[in-house]
Amino acid sequence: MSRLKHLAALAVVLGLATSLLLSGCAAANAKIASRKGYVRFPGKHYASGEKAEIGTKIEGEASYYGPGFHGKLTASGETFDQNDYTCAHKTLPFGTKLKVVRKDNGESVEVRVNDRGPYVGDRILDLSVAAGKKIGLDKVGHAYVTATVVE
């Protein structure tokens, strides 16, 4: 009978641990879902009806990302391809096209917003590997850029 009590106690403990773990995941998911531009069912919505004003400029540090995310879903619902000219921005509507110019060398690339981020420091953009290489970020990791909405 004592073995049965031990198993019952273990089941209760496992149930409590599972519910605590799931409630922590729910809180994290709620935080992600509250981000502007987040789409709960990405297969149905690839871009919102919002448009960024053409000519809007933002300046700051940009970095690039790719190998660990290649083939995974972006916040817009697209599959991330590190070889496309895309980027992540925290709030610009998906589908916004930006001309990104690196300040120190003048190199530029046109990218399309299809993901959310970056969430490192005060960076303004995460470019795909291809876009990052086009302006030389593969050699320095990150650099100061000006991004202008072109479409």
Side-chain angles (χ1 to χ4, degrees), residues 96-127:
T96 300
K97 290 189 181 173
L98 302 168
K99 180 178 182 182
V100 179
V101 180
R102 187 170 149 188
K103 293 292 247 181
D104 62 352
N105 68 6
E107 295 291 325
S108 68
V109 63
E110 192 170 301
V111 294
R112 181 177 48 83
V113 176
N114 74 338
D115 204 359
R116 291 292 173 232
Y119 298 107
V120 175
D122 57 356
R123 295 185 187 162
I124 62 163
L125 291 175
D126 261 342
L127 302 173

Side-chain angles (χ1 to χ4, degrees), residues 32-101:
I32 291 169
S34 69
R35 294 180 185 153
K36 183 177 179 183
Y38 177 82
V39 178
R40 174 83 174 137
F41 302 104
K44 296 180 182 178
H45 309 283
Y46 283 100
S48 69
E50 297 178 54
K51 295 284 185 188
E53 188 174 333
I54 294 175
T56 301
K57 290 184 186 233
I58 53 175
E59 292 187 2
E61 290 284 321
S63 53
Y64 72 98
Y65 72 121
F69 297 94
H70 185 72
K72 296 184 179 175
L73 287 182
T74 64
S76 69
E78 294 178 39
T79 302
F80 179 68
D81 183 345
Q82 66 184 7
N83 302 308
D84 283 345
Y85 291 122
T86 59
C87 72
H89 184 270
K90 291 178 185 168
T91 59
L92 285 172
F94 297 130
T96 300
K97 290 189 181 173
L98 302 168
K99 180 178 182 182
V100 179
V101 180

